Structures are given as structure tokens and as C-alpha cells.
Amino acid sequence: MGIRNPSAPPRAQSALDANPTRTRRHGGGITHDNTRHTTRFVVIGNHLVQHKELSLLAIGLGCHLQSLPTGAGADIKSLAARFPEGPTRIAAALRELEAHGYLRRERHRTETGRIVTRTVSCNQPHASRREPADTGCPPAKRTPPPPRRTGHKALPAVPQPGSKAPALLQTALDLLADLRRHDARLLLSATDTAHLVPGVAAWLERDVAPSAVRHALTAGLPDEPLHRPAALLAHRLTDRLPPPPPFRTPSAAVPPPRHPLQNCEGCDRGFRAPETESHCRDCRTAVASPP
């Protein structure tokens, strides 16, 4: 009774074993009780919610990100404060989404020079045969694409000084760093300041006082916000550059007068002195201070 028949055919693999998501024929599986949404809903593709390679956490996090309004916090710290999963698991899920094209992280420079990271959620990472909707998201890749570096165009060129003396450049640097005390909108980044220092040094090199340079840069600024203060200052340094100071011939040194040679009437010693003097210095001293 306990002997197994070796000639019996093996049990065939069921369709459910081959495809776990397939509905059972005999009353098993999931059914849906759906009500049409009219407000507060988001459309999410099955390519995300039924993805075969993403983890369940990554799928759920991808759905959550697509439901967020523009500007909502989507960094690891904000998500860890919202969900019970810790920062490590959330960071791993974000990397999964990024690797499959559902997420893109870009670095942007603000007006103050600070670098911030912007998270872009992509709802259609895969390209289709028909023309896809313009979502701004690239086709999905197995490796995350390099972050795009976007920023302002290069600053205008500034005049260059003829001298690179450290004291001259330090004076120009101090002048630029002090501009924000006169106008808070002129808060410059270290990169912008380094670009403008030679232009200020060129002004100082032309005998322009630091106070005059400061007035030329800050006087008559527009009332509206300055989106690129460094570009405005670079334009003023170039457009208002004064001419070099006039050339001055150095005054020639006047040689001392050469008096005639004569004999002292007191000691008969030869000496040079104006013709009004008749005695040498020693004799004049002896007469002025008798013993």
C-alpha cells in the first residue's frame, strides 16, 4: 500500500502555477466592485502596478509619487516621515524606479547659487509605436540616466586688469562681498564673485576709488527683482569702464647746486660754499662758540 507506482505519469503543472495572476476557473481569484471616480483620482498604467521586476514597495511608492501635486516633497526625508518604511528601504525603492525610468532626479542652481535636487515622476517611461504623450520623460533604461545639468548661460566677460597683485584683487573681492550691505539683491555666489573680481580690479587700477566703483555698480538699479545680479554687474563693469588715467611725465630730479671753490679767510683751507661765505664750516663753528 505504501509503495508508489513508478509508472504513473507525473502531475501536470496547473495554469495557476504557470501564471499566478491568472483567474481561477472555479470561483477563485479576485473580482472588482468598482465605482467611477469623478474627483481626486490619478490614472496609473498597468505597466507600473503590474511590473514584473519592481518590488511591491517600489510599485506602491511609484503610485504615491504620481498622485502628488507639483511641488510636494518627494525626497527621502519627506517620504520617510510619511510612511513607516525607513530611509534605507525608501532609498532602495527610489533607485528601482529610477533604474526603470519612472523617476528622474535633476540638479538645478537657484538664483542665490545654491544647488537643489528636483524629482521628476514619469508616468510613461516606455516608448510605444504610436506617438506618446509629451511627458518629458525618457524611455526606460536598465541603468539610471545621468542627471541633467541645467543652469543659466555663462556670465558676460568683464575687463581684465594689467596687474594681478594680491592686494589689488583682495580689495576688489572685499568690495564685491560688501555690495549686499548696500542692496540685499546683490548677494553673489562664490563663483559669480570670482568671475567679477578682475573687472573691479581693472577699475581700481585706473585710479578709481572703491567708493566710486561701488556707486557705479549700485546706483540706479531697477526696482523689480534681480534674477541675475551677477550678469547685471558684469555688464556695468564693461559698459561703464572709465578710460585710463592721463599719462604724467615723472618730474626730473633737480641736482644740488655746485658752489665755487674758495679759500677760508681764517685757516686758508679750500672749501666750497656760496660766495657770501668767507669762512669754512669749522671756522664758523669756532667763532660761534668761543672757549
Side-chain angles (χ1 to χ4, degrees):
M1 297 296 293
I3 299 176
R4 189 174 181 178
N5 186 359
S7 62
R11 183 176 60 89
Q13 186 179 18
S14 66
L16 181 61
D17 294 335
N19 186 1
T21 62
R22 183 176 178 180
T23 304
R24 298 178 183 269
R25 294 183 178 181
H26 303 289
I30 190 172
T31 60
H32 298 278
D33 182 7
N34 293 335
T35 302
R36 182 179 179 84
H37 291 286
T38 58
T39 59
R40 297 178 58 82
F41 69 94
V42 61
V43 178
I44 299 178
N46 283 339
H47 52 80
L48 171 60
V49 295
Q50 296 181 8
H51 204 285
K52 295 182 179 180
E53 298 182 17
L54 289 175
S55 65
L56 184 60
L57 176 59
I59 292 175
L61 187 56
C63 295
H64 174 73
L65 293 177
Q66 292 190 22
S67 70
L68 292 177
T70 301
D75 57 289
I76 296 176
K77 184 177 180 181
S78 300
L79 295 173
R82 168 65 176 80
F83 297 103
E85 287 77 8
T88 302
R89 296 186 61 192
I90 289 178
L94 290 175
R95 288 194 295 269
E96 287 186 61
L97 294 172
E98 191 172 8
H100 288 84
Y102 289 97
L103 192 70
R104 187 171 72 245
R105 284 181 272 203
E106 301 174 346
R107 300 182 67 189
H108 295 265
R109 184 184 298 275
T110 64
E111 297 178 359
T112 60
R114 181 183 178 186
I115 301 297
V116 297
T117 300
R118 180 181 301 168
T119 301
V120 181
S121 175
C122 305
N123 69 339
Q124 292 187 17
H126 298 286
S128 60
R129 293 182 181 178
R130 62 180 178 84
E131 190 68 18
D134 185 13
T135 60
C137 301
K141 295 182 180 180
R142 294 302 180 187
T143 57
R148 295 182 179 179
R149 295 184 177 272
T150 59
H152 298 298
K153 60 182 181 181
L155 293 174
V158 297
Q160 298 296 313
S163 172
K164 299 291 186 180
L168 178 66
L169 299 179
Q170 185 62 46
T171 303
L173 178 64
D174 295 341
L175 190 151
L176 289 169
D178 190 63
L179 291 180
R180 59 184 176 181
R181 301 181 184 274
H182 299 269
D183 192 323
R185 297 174 298 173
L186 298 180
L187 177 62
L188 303 174
S189 67
T191 302
D192 292 342
T193 302
H195 179 82
L196 297 174
V197 161
V200 176
W203 280 58
L204 299 174
E205 197 177 45
R206 299 188 175 207
D207 290 344
V208 182
S211 58
V213 180
R214 185 182 302 108
H215 178 77
L217 296 178
T218 59
L221 292 176
D223 296 331
E224 60 267 15
L226 302 179
H227 298 291
R228 298 191 67 198
L232 175 60
L233 296 179
H235 173 74
R236 288 195 169 191
L237 287 171
T238 303
D239 185 63
R240 304 184 180 186
L241 181 67
F247 178 76
R248 300 182 181 90
T249 304
S251 57
V254 179
R258 186 174 181 81
H259 301 295
L261 183 63
Q262 53 184 322
N263 293 333
C264 176
E265 296 182 358
C267 63
D268 200 29
R269 183 173 59 183
F271 70 100
R272 291 185 181 276
E275 296 181 355
T276 56
E277 298 290 343
S278 58
H279 292 75
C280 66
R281 181 169 52 186
D282 294 341
C283 292
R284 293 197 305 269
T285 303
V287 172
S289 56

